[in-house]
Structures are given as C-alpha cells and as structure tokens.
Amino acid sequence: MLAPVLEIHVVWHHREAPDAEAIALDLAEHFQGGAFASLLSGAVEVYVRSAGWADEADAPRPIAWPGSAPGLGGVEPAMFTAVVPIVGLQLGRAVEDPGGRWHAYIEAIAEAQRRDPAHVRLFPTRLAGITPQGRLAQLLSSSQYLAEPDVHAEIEEPMPGLRRRDLAQGVAQWISPLNGYRLQIFISHTKRQGTPEEPVAGLLRQVRAVLDASRLRAFFDAHDLQPGEDWDRALRQEAGASALLALRTDLYATREWCQREMLSAKVHGMSVVVLEALTEGETRGSFLMDHTPRIPAHRQADGSWSVVGIRRAVNLLADAWLHRVLWLRQRELAATHPQLRRYWWA
C-alpha cells in the first residue's frame, strides 16, 4: 500500500457551528469525491477537527506531521499536510488564553509550518465579517487567506466555489514536483462562427472575464502566441502545470487546428475540460474529446453566456490540476515498490 500523499485538516471551534461546520463539511465532501474519486486510496484525505480530544474543553486531536513515526497499524504519515483553520470570534478568543489548550494547539500548527514549510502549509479562511485579531492574527500572519474577495473584480463569485478553487490551486502549486509553476490555462476555440446564433467571440470574452476575476495565472490562446511560435512546443514546455479549456462550439470538432490542440494536450498529459457550448449541434464528433470532463454553457435571455457554467469549468480545471499533481506524486511513491512497476501504466 502506498503512503498517503496529502492530508487536509480543517480546524474550527465547536462553538462556531453551524457556519464553520458548513465550510468544513463542504471542503471534506469536495476533496474526497468528484474529480478526486478516481485516485488511488490515500492520495488525499480530509479530516475535520473541532471536537475536544480529551473532553469538551480540550483542543482537537493532535495532527501527525510528515516525517513523524508511523501511527497505529504502521500507517505512515502523509507526505504533505495542509491545515485550514476557520477563523472566527470563538477561535480567536480561545487562542488568546496563553494557558489554554487551543492556544497550544494553534501554536503547534504554526510551528510545524515554520519548521517544515516544504511539507506543512496553512491555508486559513475566515467566517463572514471576521477579521483576525491578537495572537491568532500573529500566528497566521504569513499565510494567504482562502476566498478573499477581489474588490476590483467585475464579477462577484460565490464564496464556496472560490474557497475550493483557492485551496486546490494553492495546494497543487505547493506540492507539485515541478517547483515554481502556477496553473496556466490554454483556451482552445475555433475562430469561425458556426451559425448566427453561435457568437464564439462573445463566449470567448465571457470566458476571459471569468478568468480575469480568478486568481489563476495568465492564460492564452493563439492571440497570445508570438508570430512564428509553435503551439505544440509551447504546450510541451508548460504541460506539467497547464490545463486546456476547450470551447466546444458547433464548428469546433471540424477544425483541424482545434483537433491538433486537443491531441497535443492529451499526449503531453495536460488536464482537459470541455465547455459544451453547442447551439445547432455538430455534424461530426471527435473521439479525441472522449474521456474528458464536460461542463455545459448556458445562454441567458439576452443571448449572452451565463458565467455559472464557465465558472464551474474554471474551478474544475483547478481540481484537475491538483488531481494530476497528486497522481504524479503517487507515481513517485510507486516507483519505490518494485512489485507495482509492471502495473503502474494502468
């Protein structure tokens, strides 16, 4: 059995239910299902920590940090441990007590990150309207908070989706074997209109607006390539930290260049998500788009494209990137087990 790759511990004070509990359960459900369900057991495990370990007044169960001794049954600690403290008034008050157990618990988490930042990382998030104060603010001062709204964004994004994407992107960038890379999204689309009802340019503008409102790295399509630059070479260089968003409009499957982009992405192991934006339909399909996640895009009453489906596709790309990073780490672990080498290709 492979050692665990990633553990996510969502920590919240039990007196801050139901708001903190809802955030914790949402993260647990998301990262243990959906895009991550196909990974081998142990790739990612999520633990919710709120109840006292010894009694109701106690802090939660201690966390086994990377590099520590195996636990019960000889289970190895995870390679990486991400901790998501949910900051609220009750947690802040509990940490202010220098002799309290919550004070020692959160200090131990901050110390673990300071001691081993390559394998322990804090990703705090806060309840609505809460600004961390005092000792808790000091302990979390070096950490970037999840789901902090961008006051300059033109499109407001729901907090749950933003929180999940921030965590997926932050963890993937942190634990990726390709150090220093951030997710870069390639947009694949046809340059030709399929029908008068299929405004490709309008869809592309809306996709770019959603990406501009996200915290993802700069994305590009053919317009961003320099004259004479080779798309295939660009994909090869960026494949390990890139994902392809295919805008599947009516003529997409008929365009040779779009097929080449899809093929190159798959050959280089990139994460691919298809945004289904068919209006009249296709006259031919494409086997190259089989076995890829699909998200439907919807038109609004005024003919514009809704941001809801586009945002779901962008969030799924971040999940797909983390999925690939976890798979790469599991492949590294499998290489240390000679008995697994003949099966790993499957």
Side-chain angles (χ1 to χ4, degrees):
M1 181 178 178
L2 298 178
V5 175
L6 171 68
E7 286 185 356
I8 300 175
H9 295 261
V10 187
V11 177
W12 58 282
H13 197 282
H14 65 277
R15 291 180 182 171
E16 288 171 324
D19 294 341
E21 182 180 25
I23 293 173
L25 294 180
D26 176 74
L27 291 175
E29 181 179 2
H30 181 77
F31 287 98
Q32 290 190 310
F36 306 100
S38 62
L39 289 165
L40 293 176
S41 176
V44 55
E45 299 290 347
V46 185
Y47 301 97
V48 176
R49 297 282 186 253
S50 63
W53 181 229
D55 51 57
E56 185 176 346
D58 196 7
R61 176 178 179 170
I63 298 172
W65 303 113
S68 60
L72 294 176
V75 178
E76 295 285 340
M79 293 176 64
F80 303 96
T81 298
V83 184
V84 183
I86 302 179
V87 176
L89 289 176
Q90 296 298 330
L91 180 61
R93 290 168 181 167
V95 173
E96 281 302 305
D97 180 5
R101 300 178 223 183
W102 272 101
H103 179 97
Y105 189 75
I106 299 299
E107 283 209 335
I109 292 174
E111 171 61 20
Q113 177 181 252
R114 189 200 64 76
R115 186 177 61 248
D116 188 12
H119 298 95
V120 178
R121 186 70 59 90
L122 272 71
F123 296 90
T125 188
R126 56 193 180 98
L127 297 176
I130 298 299
T131 301
Q133 303 287 339
R135 183 55 180 160
L136 182 59
Q138 294 173 4
L139 292 172
L140 303 179
S141 61
S142 62
S143 301
Q144 175 65 42
Y145 279 68
L146 302 175
E148 291 295 289
D150 183 357
V151 296
H152 303 292
E154 296 181 4
I155 304 175
E156 185 176 354
E157 184 169 359
M159 281 295 165
L162 177 57
R163 185 180 294 110
R164 297 182 212 120
R165 189 183 69 238
D166 276 359
L167 184 55
Q169 180 187 353
V171 169
Q173 182 180 343
W174 165 48
I175 72 173
S176 173
L178 303 171
N179 294 328
Y181 279 84
R182 294 183 63 189
L183 176 61
Q184 179 160 267
I185 294 177
F186 293 79
I187 305 174
S188 175
H189 62 93
T190 177
K191 310 300 187 294
R192 295 183 58 184
Q193 299 285 104
T195 66
E197 291 75 30
E198 183 198 50
V200 179
L203 176 61
L204 181 59
R205 281 195 300 271
Q206 193 71 298
V207 169
R208 283 183 171 269
V210 171
L211 287 168
D212 281 338
S214 72
R215 279 184 278 274
L216 301 176
R217 186 184 175 186
F219 51 92
F220 67 87
D221 58 12
H223 294 294
D224 299 298
L225 292 172
Q226 297 300 317
E229 188 171 356
D230 182 6
W231 169 272
D232 187 69
R233 180 176 59 81
L235 288 187
R236 287 198 304 273
Q237 290 177 344
E238 302 288 345
S242 301
L244 186 78
L245 178 61
L247 310 188
R248 189 174 188 175
T249 49
D250 290 352
L251 282 183
Y252 185 89
T254 68
R255 312 311 297 166
E256 179 183 355
W257 192 249
C258 294
Q259 298 284 345
R260 286 180 58 191
E261 292 168 358
M262 181 67 67
L263 176 61
S264 186
K266 284 197 165 185
V267 166
H268 300 315
M270 288 172 61
S271 303
V272 177
V273 171
V274 175
L275 184 63
E276 294 275 9
L278 301 176
T279 54
E280 297 295 319
E282 292 178 332
T283 58
R284 54 179 278 190
S286 170
F287 73 92
L288 285 172
M289 282 182 278
D290 291 342
H291 309 294
T292 56
R294 288 173 169 79
I295 299 295
H298 298 289
R299 300 285 288 277
Q300 302 184 107
D302 62 359
S304 63
W305 294 94
S306 169
V307 300
V308 175
I310 298 172
R311 188 179 288 133
R312 287 182 60 207
V314 171
N315 291 348
L316 185 55
L317 282 168
D319 286 341
W321 184 37
L322 176 56
H323 181 286
R324 174 157 175 75
V325 167
L326 290 168
W327 185 89
L328 290 172
R329 287 297 187 182
Q330 283 199 309
R331 186 174 67 176
E332 288 181 359
L333 291 173
T336 64
H337 296 263
Q339 68 272 26
L340 293 179
R341 290 175 184 169
R342 69 177 66 184
Y343 304 111
W344 185 249
W345 65 269

